[in-house]
Amino acid sequence: MKVTRIDEQTIAIGPLDLFSTELLHQIHLSANPEGSRAARERLYPSPTHGEDADFDQDWNDYVEPDLVDMFATSIEVIESDIADFPPARPAADHHTLHLPIKNLEAWIHGLNQARLALAARHGFTEKEMDGPLTGEGLDALALFQVHFYGWLQECFLRVLRDE
Amino acid sequence: MPEPTVIEQTDTDTLLDVPWNVVVHNDPVNLMNYVTRVFIKVFGFTEQRAEKHMLEVHQNGRSIVWTGMRERAEAYVQQLHGHLLLATLEKAE
């Protein structure tokens, strides 16, 4: 799989198998911190490390709603870009996803939300992040997701850097 | 002649006067290139300066990326949170 620049406005990611495609469709779910206090605290951290409760409360009341909207916008862009992917025809095991370069900022942000929320939800530390991709079960799948999304982020950052 | 009124200096005045640091903390997930890009975008740093702060975060666990008036420091922290970096406000020593 590789990310290729097609023209001034477009990049292509492919070939994407069904598993990788499914991971793309999991971005919005992975980015949602609902049900995990750790994930929520990571996406919306205290601006004072919890040392000023009054200021933290004001932050929650006045700043956090803007952040929630901003984060949702990135995810909406991603969802819209993959809404019809993979196409029903032609039927194939692998497909190529075309993305507008103008949407890459939103992708980088949405992928970051997903990575941070997943890592917090599964309690990944530096040890897991730098360790091998071994094991089974939900933790192993989540770790793979974090790295897969990270690889995409790196590719997109490179495209934007070469702009 | 009436006694002059003494107005006590409030804590708020003190808080507004002292400089505040914007501190970015390390996390194991954010990519180094991403953090560098955010510093360039938010603070207008050169790539070299942005990388220096990114490496400071990575190696020392934290980096003071800006110091100044409270209101502006809050705005920077908000922008950094918007980019999902772990950032806090601290009174400068």
Side-chain angles (χ1 to χ4, degrees):
Chain A
M1 185 193 316
K2 61 182 178 179
V3 173
T4 317
R5 188 162 183 152
I6 302 296
D7 55 35
E8 282 187 9
Q9 280 95 37
T10 320
I11 60 160
I13 312 168
L16 285 161
D17 59 18
L18 294 177
F19 177 65
S20 306
T21 301
E22 180 53 30
L23 291 185
L24 295 182
H25 283 284
Q26 290 289 323
I27 293 171
H28 78 288
L29 286 175
S30 304
N32 186 348
E34 211 174 284
S36 167
R37 188 175 170 180
R40 202 180 180 293
E41 285 177 352
R42 179 56 194 87
L43 294 189
Y44 306 103
S46 156
T48 68
H49 259 330
E51 285 172 9
D52 185 340
D54 289 341
F55 182 69
D56 283 358
Q57 189 55 53
D58 284 348
W59 192 268
N60 289 345
D61 293 342
Y62 299 109
V63 175
E64 205 177 290
D66 287 344
L67 296 177
V68 170
D69 287 346
M70 186 195 295
F71 295 178
T73 303
S74 301
I75 297 297
E76 282 164 17
V77 170
I78 293 173
E79 287 288 276
S80 164
D81 282 344
I82 58 174
D84 299 320
F85 186 81
R89 288 172 190 280
D93 290 339
H94 295 82
H95 289 276
T96 298
L97 173 66
H98 290 83
L99 292 178
I101 289 175
K102 68 178 170 59
N103 288 357
L104 292 189
E105 288 281 5
W107 271 84
I108 288 167
H109 195 280
L111 289 165
N112 216 29
Q113 287 179 56
R115 297 179 73 237
L116 290 165
L118 279 167
R121 194 182 283 273
H122 290 267
F124 295 150
T125 63
E126 213 128 340
K127 188 181 159 206
E128 285 82 18
M129 291 300 297
D130 294 341
L133 280 169
T134 54
E136 291 175 4
L138 290 178
D139 281 349
L141 176 61
L143 189 59
F144 181 82
Q145 258 182 291
V146 170
H147 284 296
F148 177 61
Y149 295 161
W151 178 78
L152 284 174
Q153 265 191 307
E154 284 283 13
C155 293
F156 296 163
L157 283 166
R158 207 170 305 135
V159 171
L160 293 183
R161 195 180 168 144
D162 294 342
E163 276 277 273
Chain B
M1 194 172 163
E3 288 285 308
T5 312
V6 178
I7 301 170
E8 275 185 43
Q9 192 175 22
T10 63
D11 284 350
T12 312
D13 290 336
T14 312
L15 290 178
L16 289 174
D17 284 346
V18 298
W20 288 77
N21 292 331
V22 174
V23 184
V24 174
H25 305 265
N26 190 34
D27 75 63
V29 181
N30 270 317
L31 301 172
M32 293 162 96
N33 286 341
Y34 176 75
V35 175
T36 303
R37 184 178 166 80
V38 171
F39 287 162
I40 292 171
K41 207 170 166 180
V42 172
F43 297 103
F45 287 168
T46 60
E47 189 158 348
Q48 195 181 13
R49 188 170 174 202
E51 272 179 15
K52 175 190 158 284
H53 282 287
M54 177 276 292
L55 286 172
E56 215 169 83
V57 172
H58 185 65
Q59 288 160 0
N60 304 341
R62 52 181 268 145
S63 175
I64 295 170
V65 289
W66 190 83
T67 301
M69 297 301 286
R70 166 100 186 195
E71 201 176 325
R72 202 157 162 211
E74 286 177 16
Y76 278 136
V77 170
Q78 181 174 351
Q79 283 188 67
L80 293 168
H81 283 199
H83 288 94
L84 297 154
L85 299 198
L86 279 176
T88 54
L89 284 169
E90 281 181 11
K91 242 183 270 186
E93 300 269 314

